[in-house]
Amino acid sequence: MLQAEPIGDRARSVPLRIDALYKSYGPTRVLEGIDLEVADSELVFIIGPSGSGKSTLLRCCNRLEDVTSGRILVDGVDVTDPKADLNAIRRRIGMVFQQFNLYPHMTALGNVTLALRKVLRKSKAEANEIGLAALERVGLGDKADAYPNELSGGQQQRVGIARSLALEPKIVLFDEPTSALDPELVGSVLGVMRSLREQGMTMVVVSHEMRFAREAADRVIFMDQGRIVESGTPEDIFQNAREARTRAFLDQVEA
């Protein structure tokens, strides 16, 4: 498959750019003209009620969902182009899901290195070297030979993060990464995400972890009914929200 060419100098200046994005399922409109740019090393946190389109937005970014109209540029490449190379796109944009999606018959290292071996065609030795480094990065270097059922939920999610990091993406999307975890395990995953932020990883996070958003985000976006209602710094949103809908949502979730 052909890979779409980068479009314009402005497209190259940001890892992720979304222009006039619409997504419908039949007559139901889920995304209503989303415009968004994410800068290098920026952590953008998306909040909003269930059904507001947050997860659909992330899934459109790596073409797990096809868009109805609009354009998404990842590292300057138009991922909505029918000729775009999806494998190349998904190496640029990592995804960490709510569910861990680990293969139970593979070790932590096997799960991390699978795409390196099967998609990138790296040798077992090279894939293992990269995979071990990724596991070290999330604090699980000593768990390389452990199977998923031997790991806690927090450790399994960290393996999922390592799997994304091993492909050296330009940006990582996190879709409710802690919602399936017991409360006492959430901190270990958020700790890894804080570390990635300090290392300069570009991230877009959909989550209900409001404290983490306050402490770690560069920018917070509030979505409702498929639209971006308001965007600003954590202080702008959590302390000085302009829109009544934003204030009502925060009053409810922080009550």
Side-chain angles (χ1 to χ4, degrees), residues 26-68:
T28 303
R29 186 70 65 79
V30 181
L31 296 175
E32 296 265 7
I34 300 293
D35 294 303
L36 176 64
E37 289 189 354
V38 178
D40 276 319
S41 301
E42 188 177 24
L43 195 167
V44 174
F45 208 99
I46 303 177
I47 62 174
S50 297
S52 60
K54 307 183 300 295
S55 292
T56 300
L57 175 60
L58 294 192
R59 291 174 66 85
C60 285
C61 288
N62 70 350
R63 287 284 299 279
L64 290 173
E65 299 277 358
D66 288 326
V67 307
T68 300

Side-chain angles (χ1 to χ4, degrees), residues 2-242:
L2 296 175
Q3 180 175 305
E5 291 298 321
I7 300 175
D9 291 338
R10 183 170 169 74
R12 296 190 185 94
S13 67
V14 291
L16 177 64
R17 177 181 172 187
I18 301 170
D19 295 327
L21 181 64
Y22 288 82
K23 172 65 180 177
S24 298
Y25 297 106
T28 303
R29 186 70 65 79
V30 181
L31 296 175
E32 296 265 7
I34 300 293
D35 294 303
L36 176 64
E37 289 189 354
V38 178
D40 276 319
S41 301
E42 188 177 24
L43 195 167
V44 174
F45 208 99
I46 303 177
I47 62 174
S50 297
S52 60
K54 307 183 300 295
S55 292
T56 300
L57 175 60
L58 294 192
R59 291 174 66 85
C60 285
C61 288
N62 70 350
R63 287 284 299 279
L64 290 173
E65 299 277 358
D66 288 326
V67 307
T68 300
S69 64
R71 189 175 69 166
I72 301 171
L73 303 179
V74 176
D75 197 23
V77 174
D78 184 354
V79 308
T80 59
D81 188 323
K83 297 178 181 179
D85 182 337
L86 291 184
N87 284 331
I89 287 165
R90 288 168 183 161
R91 292 198 295 272
R92 286 182 166 92
I93 188 162
M95 186 104 181
V96 177
F97 299 91
Q98 176 179 342
Q99 301 299 328
F100 318 130
N101 297 326
L102 301 180
Y103 289 103
H105 63 287
M106 291 184 175
T107 64
L109 182 60
N111 272 279
V112 171
T113 60
L114 182 62
L116 293 170
R117 292 183 286 109
K118 299 298 185 181
V119 179
L120 299 188
R121 303 295 182 186
K122 292 188 179 296
S123 68
K124 182 177 180 180
E126 186 180 6
N128 284 350
E129 182 179 356
I130 296 169
L132 284 170
L135 286 170
E136 289 283 358
R137 204 169 169 189
V138 300
L140 291 177
D142 61 336
K143 298 292 185 180
D145 295 327
Y147 288 88
N149 66 0
E150 299 172 322
L151 301 172
S152 70
Q155 289 171 330
Q156 290 184 59
Q157 188 60 291
R158 285 151 64 192
V159 172
I161 295 172
R163 179 175 53 192
S164 288
L165 296 178
L167 295 174
E168 299 184 346
K170 292 289 293 184
I171 183 170
V172 180
L173 311 179
F174 293 83
D175 188 9
E176 299 283 4
T178 61
S179 63
L181 300 178
D182 292 334
E184 66 268 23
L185 301 177
V186 169
S188 65
V189 174
L190 296 183
V192 168
M193 294 170 69
R194 284 191 179 91
S195 176
L196 292 177
R197 181 188 186 280
E198 292 167 0
Q199 295 167 29
M201 176 61 71
T202 307
M203 297 184 282
V204 180
V205 180
V206 167
S207 176
H208 294 289
E209 298 289 342
M210 298 299 164
R211 181 176 178 182
F212 182 67
R214 287 176 177 271
E215 295 174 353
D218 295 297
R219 184 160 39 120
V220 177
I221 290 170
F222 174 65
M223 285 184 64
D224 190 32
Q225 297 183 341
R227 297 182 175 90
I228 293 178
V229 176
E230 190 164 359
S231 174
T233 65
E235 182 178 2
D236 291 336
I237 300 300
F238 290 107
Q239 298 180 31
N240 303 300
R242 301 184 307 273

